[in-house]
Amino acid sequence: MDIASPTPEPGSAAVRFDRERINYAVFSAAILIAGIWLVWLGSWLLGWSMNDLGIAPRQLGGLVGILSAPLAHASFDHLMSNTLPLALLATLTLYAYPLATRFALPMIWLLSGIGVWLFARDSVHVGMSGINHGLMFFLFLTGLLRRDRLGVAISLVVFFFYGGMLLTVLPREEQVSFEYHLAGAVSGLLAAILLFRLDPKPPRKRYSWEDEDDEADDATDAEFDLPRPDGVPVLWKRDPEQSGSARILPFPARIDDDTGGTRRTLH
């Protein structure tokens, strides 16, 4: 699905395009949230073990967890703690950067899982928190790199709500996989550096007072500009009709006293 770029003017076309982007972002984020809830409900009703879906570091059987671990959660509280951040972060990411998200989300998903499989503690790691960290760091750094109004505003919003994720990449609680948080954050930063130029920036709106300042500056500069050489009147190009009224003042010759008046000096 192709999403139109934002436009600077708040016209009907801009409202329609913005509505398309919002619908696309909300619908796609809802599918992702529905996926983790369906997996948890299915495992709860059928008695599945979340350990079978998690990442077991440095074990061949744990490689499948790179794909399935974000969908698995150890408890209902664990699921609830990841649902709201995922809803907000995924919606903002899909709304602000629809093109980059097509590559950023799979990159964060896979690279964070690979990082956990390679370097994490010998345990089973599950949950969407690694993806949430990746999306938060992706949004924050992308806004700083792009430096447009939408990107900077979203960077401030995600830092205000989830700035505490900067601390959760460090080991704090024994039962919390800080390795997944750290791998997701690094993946999000890498995705932001590689993909922040992918979505076009919205054209900058130009206000009427900016044009007025430009016109005033041009008028002021023109007042003090020197005339062109061909516009300066000179004696040898003067109109013949005006030459009769001209008066020429001759310069008197100056006598050099040292030579006894025998040599004239030029002025």
Side-chain angles (χ1 to χ4, degrees), residues 8 19 66 71 85 92 115 126 133 164 178 194 197 202 205 207 216 246 256:
R19 187 180 295 115
I66 295 176
L71 301 175
L92 289 176
V126 296
H133 280 70
F178 77 92
L194 296 177
R197 293 189 181 91
K205 180 179 179 179
Y207 297 92
D256 190 355

Side-chain angles (χ1 to χ4, degrees), residues 75-92:
S75 63
F76 181 76
D77 293 337
H78 187 203
L79 176 65
M80 288 297 298
S81 66
N82 282 330
T83 298
L84 184 59
L86 178 63
L88 179 60
L89 293 172
T91 301
L92 289 176

Side-chain angles (χ1 to χ4, degrees), residues 6-76:
T7 56
E9 299 295 337
S12 59
V15 173
R16 184 176 67 254
F17 293 155
D18 197 60
R19 187 180 295 115
E20 291 179 2
R21 291 165 67 92
I22 292 175
N23 293 336
Y24 169 76
V26 172
F27 179 74
S28 301
I31 291 178
L32 189 57
I33 294 172
I36 65 174
W37 273 86
L38 288 175
V39 170
W40 186 84
L41 289 174
S43 63
W44 179 67
L45 293 175
L46 300 176
W48 294 346
S49 174
M50 291 293 99
N51 293 337
D52 297 335
L53 300 178
I55 301 176
R58 294 170 296 280
Q59 296 183 19
L60 292 179
L63 286 173
V64 68
I66 295 176
L67 299 177
S68 60
L71 301 175
H73 291 79
S75 63
F76 181 76

